């Protein structure tokens, strides 16, 4: 619980999901923790705001790529976190979300296309 209050915690959880040398069950646990952290703390609330603007921006810059690079179980957790972030931030606070998704659809990789459409 103490680590949750540290600056960069959510960003580190997201990065954990991308490290291929880390066993998949650990990456999945990181993805679940990231999703739960986003669910609890993403909505801006002065009393329990544990995600600084710098971390929020880093997450929004990287979370789609993390989702697309992960195994199916990891992808599903990250996709749910993206949904939660969009509920609060899209479109006003995340104007690049839709252009980023559209840009990533410009591929011949069917796995990427299916993941985005899910």
């Amino acid at each position: 619980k103490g680590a949750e209050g540290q600056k960069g915690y959510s960003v580190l959880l997201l990065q954990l999901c991308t490290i291929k040398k880390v066993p998949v069950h650990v990456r999945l646990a990181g993805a679940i923790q990231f999703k739960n952290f986003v669910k609890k703390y993403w909505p801006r609330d002065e009393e329990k705001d544990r995600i600084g603007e710098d971390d929020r921006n880093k997450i929004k810059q990287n979370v789609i790529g993390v989702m697309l690079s992960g195994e199916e179980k990891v992808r599903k957790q990250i996709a749910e976190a993206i949904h939660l972030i969009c509920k609060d931030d899209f479109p006003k606070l995340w104007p690049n979300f839709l252009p980023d998704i559209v840009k990533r659809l410009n591929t011949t990789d069917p796995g990427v296309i299916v993941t985005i459409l899910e």
Side-chain angles (χ1 to χ4, degrees):
K1 291 270 180 189
E4 285 185 358
Q6 299 298 314
K7 181 180 179 188
Y9 174 76
S10 52
V11 175
L12 289 175
L13 279 176
L14 189 60
Q15 289 174 345
L16 173 68
C17 299
T18 67
I19 303 171
K20 299 297 182 192
K21 291 182 180 179
V22 173
V24 69
H25 68 278
V26 175
R27 284 182 273 148
L28 177 58
I32 292 168
Q33 180 63 23
F34 175 77
K35 174 199 68 181
N36 290 338
F37 187 82
V38 166
K39 184 184 292 185
K40 186 173 183 179
Y41 297 114
W42 195 272
R44 286 165 175 81
D45 180 347
E46 289 183 21
E47 292 180 20
K48 64 175 188 176
D49 191 6
R50 294 195 179 180
I51 308 174
E53 284 304 313
D54 187 46
D55 286 351
R56 288 175 187 272
N57 290 332
K58 286 178 185 174
I59 289 168
K60 289 187 279 191
Q61 289 169 2
N62 294 295
V63 70
I64 296 170
V66 172
M67 177 187 68
L68 295 175
S69 69
E71 291 80 4
E72 182 179 358
K73 291 180 180 181
V74 172
R75 280 195 317 258
K76 289 184 180 195
Q77 298 300 317
I78 300 300
E80 191 172 333
I82 290 171
H83 172 77
L84 294 165
I85 294 168
C86 281
K87 282 173 54 175
D88 277 4
D89 285 16
F90 181 76
K92 187 177 180 181
L93 299 174
W94 197 2
N96 295 332
F97 173 72
L98 206 49
D100 194 12
I101 291 291
V102 170
K103 178 179 74 176
R104 291 170 189 270
L105 278 170
N106 189 18
T107 180
T108 58
D109 183 343
V112 169
I113 295 169
V114 169
T115 298
I116 289 173
L117 295 177
E118 288 182 328

